[in-house]
Amino acid sequence: MAESSSPAKDRRRRSMEKLPTFSGDSSSLLSEEQLLCSICLDVFTDPVTTPCGHNFCKSCLTQCWEKSQHCHCPLCKEKFTKKPELKINTTLREVAYLFKKKSGPDKPQVLCDACTGEKLKALKSCLDCCASLCKTHLEFHSNMPKLKKHKLINPVENLEDYICQKHERALDVFCRDDQTCVCQFCTEGDHKNHNTVPIEEESRERKTQLGKTQTDVQQMIQDRLKKIQEIKHSVELSKRSTEKEKADSVEVFTALIRSIERSQAELLEVMEEKQRAAERQAEGLIKELEQEITVLKRRDTELEQLSHTEEHLHLLQIYSSVCSPPHTKNWTEIRINTDLSGDTVKTALSQLQQTLNKKLTTTLNDKLTETELKRIQQYAVDVTLDPDAANPYLILSADGKQVRCGDKRQKLPDTPQRFNQHLIVVGKQSFSSGRFYYEVQVRGKTAWRLGVVRENINRKGDITVKPQNGFWTVGLWNENQYWANAGPAVPLPLRQKVETVGVFVDYDEGLVSFYDVKSRSHIYSFTAQSFTEKLYPYFNPCDNDGGKNTAPLTISPVFKSE
């Protein structure tokens, strides 16, 4: 015998129609259905939990038990031999309170269309009856078999928007061909043979897409917040660098004759103006970023609200406009120009060289290079050699700081990253932004090559070392011939033999510079390069040259000058 229907059972059935769904926002952890008491069908008031785990309003459950001889769960019918002590679930009460507080001002109260006197709050809207109904008038939909088949939704004011104007039936089907909501009768007429799905199914798919769009928007917000921090950090570094440059410049100019004092003031003004320009640029960029963040947060809030809406038609009607990406700037390549290098000082002083003798000019240039080297040594990084990339003839030290060429080829796996012909090894560390510096000892060698390479260089067979192929290097040949592998090679007339090479890279500015650390002089620079991939430190100790070139290349610690 089939179990007879009752209003309570129908209410329980409706309350269980949807499974819990969770979102990332603590203020919207649960949808309204999960916060409804299955007895009064309203949001929990002082919720209590039964031993079987179900939740009810305290007053609703108390009244239910007062009308019954036995205490049982109104939802699952489990009987309790002893009347449970009801204690308010404070966590659930807080969630329900926050939900009421959040949804109260945003959702205008929908009144019952069937009430003749004072109109009560509607609990549901019936798409078949075209009416919103309160608790009392909703009982007919639980008791009368014909009304049980009616489609009930959360109460809405604009109920006519959910009804097909042609057939006066619920809009419960979505036509994907025409991108519009229709009723069942429409699918047998104008939309026959069209690709149609239940409106709930289409809404679920659109919500999924909304979630992805929201994730993208949130990521854009995070990217811009990160960019703001980068700009602020860049300006702070620039400020510290400016102060240090000012102090170094004062030291240099103090050592010169009075005739260059006016140029010193002009140089400081140039540096100050460059800093002010950087700060003005930073303020403008931060303002633009904050404006975009405001727009994106507003879009994020809209997407969050729509991702939990039950008003399917409204969702589908505004879906395209909401999901279209906000009009924002591409910030990837935008950066603050804050580099106040020693080249700035050299340029300003070049006009003075006509009035100074050769000795004074040489002293000045040496002092400036020393200042520049002090500055870039602040970007020192720890570099170790990658044994998985080393040519089989190369022998690496256990700590990964030395490499020399051996006499025999080692039996090593020919992995994709290993150089199989040239005597090359790269560092384990890679760099894709900012600045970095390291030093390599080359004392005792008759040939070597050092520099940086991009990630996707050719590592097999013959290799032509030049910037066009992803190599930015300098080296020594035949004991005293220094060259920059600039494609074609550029000879470097150095004053003395180099013992330690400093390698400095400014990824964002496209700069690779080499220095003689001992003499504190500049060797060579690759400028105006365009880096789009990771860069790796590059080492080539060259062959042993009949025993003349057995000394290793050694990555040495950087002793920063004070």
Side-chain angles (χ1 to χ4, degrees):
M1 180 177 179
E3 185 180 2
S4 61
S5 177
S6 68
K9 291 175 183 176
D10 287 325
R11 287 195 296 269
R12 289 197 300 273
R13 173 182 57 78
R14 290 196 300 273
S15 69
M16 296 176 67
E17 283 178 348
K18 291 192 175 182
L19 295 174
T21 56
F22 296 87
S23 70
D25 185 357
S26 60
S27 64
S28 57
L29 271 174
L30 301 172
S31 62
E32 185 175 5
E33 284 74 9
Q34 284 82 60
L35 296 175
L36 292 181
C37 170
S38 60
I39 298 176
C40 66
L41 295 181
D42 205 349
V43 178
F44 290 123
T45 300
D46 292 335
V48 294
T49 305
T50 60
C52 56
H54 295 118
N55 300 300
F56 307 92
C57 296
K58 183 176 182 180
S59 59
C60 293
L61 187 59
T62 300
Q63 293 176 13
C64 179
W65 284 353
E66 288 175 353
K67 298 177 183 178
S68 175
Q69 295 181 351
H70 303 284
C71 294
H72 64 276
C73 175
L75 199 58
C76 69
K77 298 301 183 182
E78 180 178 341
K79 293 184 179 180
F80 311 118
T81 55
K82 182 180 179 181
K83 183 176 180 180
E85 181 182 358
L86 299 178
K87 293 184 178 180
I88 295 176
N89 186 329
T90 55
T91 300
L92 187 57
R93 180 178 62 180
E94 182 67 17
V95 174
Y97 171 76
L98 291 175
F99 183 85
K100 290 179 181 179
K101 184 177 180 180
K102 180 179 179 182
S103 60
D106 297 333
K107 293 184 177 181
Q109 191 176 68
V110 179
L111 301 179
C112 177
D113 294 322
C115 290
T116 56
E118 180 182 357
K119 292 186 176 295
L120 301 178
K121 176 184 175 182
L123 291 183
K124 294 288 181 181
S125 292
C126 178
L127 296 181
D128 294 278
C129 298
C130 278
S132 298
L133 304 172
C134 65
K135 176 182 177 182
T136 302
H137 291 102
L138 195 61
E139 292 293 335
F140 291 102
H141 285 72
S142 301
N143 297 329
M144 298 180 66
K146 290 184 178 180
L147 297 182
K148 289 181 180 180
K149 299 180 181 179
H150 285 193
K151 186 174 183 61
L152 300 177
I153 62 173
N154 288 330
V156 293
E157 282 191 321
N158 54 333
L159 191 56
E160 63 277 2
D161 292 342
Y162 292 75
I163 306 299
C164 176
Q165 300 301 311
K166 182 176 181 180
H167 301 107
E168 297 184 352
R169 290 291 185 272
L171 295 172
D172 52 4
V173 177
F174 184 76
C175 177
R176 288 177 171 172
D177 292 342
D178 296 332
Q179 292 292 298
T180 186
C181 296
V182 298
C183 69
Q184 287 292 343
F185 287 172
C186 292
T187 62
E188 300 173 2
D190 295 341
H191 297 269
K192 189 176 182 179
N193 298 325
H194 284 193
N195 181 13
T196 60
V197 294
I199 194 172
E200 291 83 359
E201 178 181 340
E202 183 68 17
S203 180
R204 282 194 300 270
E205 292 188 15
R206 296 296 178 93
K207 283 185 178 181
T208 300
Q209 186 60 42
L210 282 173
K212 295 178 181 178
T213 304
Q214 184 183 13
T215 300
D216 293 340
V217 170
Q218 291 172 345
Q219 184 59 49
M220 293 172 71
I221 293 174
Q222 294 303 315
D223 291 344
R224 279 149 182 78
L225 289 172
K226 182 179 179 181
K227 193 69 177 182
I228 288 178
Q229 294 304 316
E230 290 178 357
I231 291 174
K232 290 182 177 178
H233 180 64
S234 180
V235 171
E236 181 59 29
L237 288 178
S238 172
K239 188 175 183 180
R240 291 202 296 264
S241 178
T242 299
E243 294 301 320
K244 194 173 188 310
E245 287 290 327
K246 287 167 60 179
D248 290 338
S249 298
V250 171
E251 180 184 348
V252 172
F253 279 100
T254 303
L256 301 178
I257 60 178
R258 292 182 177 273
S259 62
I260 63 173
E261 289 181 350
R262 185 173 61 181
S263 296
Q264 176 191 15
E266 294 174 354
L267 174 63
L268 295 178
E269 179 59 28
V270 169
M271 296 168 65
E272 290 285 359
E273 179 56 33
K274 200 165 187 179
Q275 174 61 27
R276 288 193 293 269
E279 292 178 347
R280 289 195 297 270
Q281 183 185 6
E283 290 175 0
L285 292 177
I286 290 174
K287 184 175 180 180
E288 285 188 55
L289 283 163
E290 289 175 342
Q291 290 174 347
E292 287 196 10
I293 289 173
T294 300
V295 174
L296 291 169
K297 284 184 176 179
R298 190 181 303 119
R299 177 62 60 87
D300 182 49
T301 300
E302 294 173 356
L303 292 170
E304 173 66 21
Q305 293 174 348
L306 286 174
S307 66
H308 295 285
T309 186
E310 296 299 328
E311 299 179 7
H312 308 298
L313 180 61
H314 178 63
L315 168 64
L316 298 176
Q317 288 175 337
I318 68 172
Y319 174 82
S320 298
S321 61
V322 174
C323 279
S324 59
H327 180 69
T328 56
K329 182 185 291 186
N330 182 0
W331 293 90
T332 305
E333 301 298 329
I334 294 179
R335 57 181 176 267
I336 295 292
N337 181 18
T338 60
D339 184 27
L340 293 176
S341 65
D343 291 335
T344 304
V345 183
K346 291 179 182 178
T347 300
L349 290 174
S350 62
Q351 298 177 355
L352 301 176
Q353 293 179 356
Q354 297 178 1
T355 63
L356 300 175
N357 60 42
K358 183 177 180 180
K359 181 177 179 180
L360 187 60
T361 302
T362 302
T363 301
L364 177 60
N365 286 335
D366 288 346
K367 185 65 177 178
L368 290 172
T369 303
E370 181 178 352
T371 300
E372 183 177 11
L373 190 58
K374 287 180 181 179
R375 178 180 62 83
I376 65 176
Q377 283 178 330
Q378 305 304 311
Y379 299 99
V381 295
D382 183 26
V383 174
T384 53
L385 303 172
D386 183 4
D388 294 331
N391 180 281
Y393 277 97
L394 297 182
I395 300 175
L396 276 57
S397 62
D399 62 359
K401 295 294 185 179
Q402 284 189 350
V403 57
R404 62 183 177 87
C405 181
D407 296 325
K408 296 181 180 180
R409 182 183 181 90
Q410 304 173 80
K411 294 182 179 180
L412 299 174
D414 188 17
T415 58
Q417 64 267 34
R418 189 178 304 282
F419 294 88
N420 68 349
Q421 183 167 327
H422 288 257
L423 299 174
I424 299 173
V425 62
V426 296
K428 287 183 178 180
Q429 296 75 19
S430 64
F431 305 89
S432 56
S433 64
R435 302 165 181 170
F436 62 95
Y437 173 83
Y438 60 95
E439 294 178 354
V440 183
Q441 186 180 110
V442 297
R443 184 170 57 244
K445 296 192 66 62
T446 60
W448 50 263
R449 287 179 183 171
L450 293 171
V452 293
V453 296
R454 68 186 181 208
E455 183 176 27
N456 73 340
I457 56 171
N458 178 29
R459 302 189 180 209
K460 307 299 180 183
D462 193 26
I463 300 173
T464 301
V465 178
K466 59 182 180 179
Q468 295 88 331
N469 294 340
F471 294 79
W472 293 269
T473 66
V474 298
L476 169 67
W477 286 262
N478 299 326
E479 299 189 31
N480 57 8
Q481 297 178 14
Y482 293 93
W483 297 80
N485 301 297
V490 176
L492 304 174
L494 302 184
R495 288 180 290 178
Q496 61 188 39
K497 194 171 182 65
V498 179
E499 294 187 359
T500 302
V501 178
V503 183
F504 173 69
V505 177
D506 188 329
Y507 189 100
D508 300 324
E509 293 297 328
L511 172 69
V512 181
S513 295
F514 300 87
Y515 297 86
D516 180 347
V517 176
K518 183 178 180 180
S519 66
R520 312 195 71 76
S521 59
H522 176 254
I523 296 176
Y524 185 79
S525 288
F526 294 92
T527 60
Q529 305 299 304
S530 179
F531 302 133
T532 58
E533 303 174 21
K534 294 178 181 179
L535 296 181
Y536 289 83
Y538 162 98
F539 307 84
N540 185 337
C542 298
D543 60 42
N544 289 334
D545 190 20
K548 297 180 181 180
N549 193 36
T550 57
L553 291 176
T554 303
I555 303 171
S556 54
V558 177
F559 298 101
K560 300 177 182 178
S561 303
E562 298 298 332

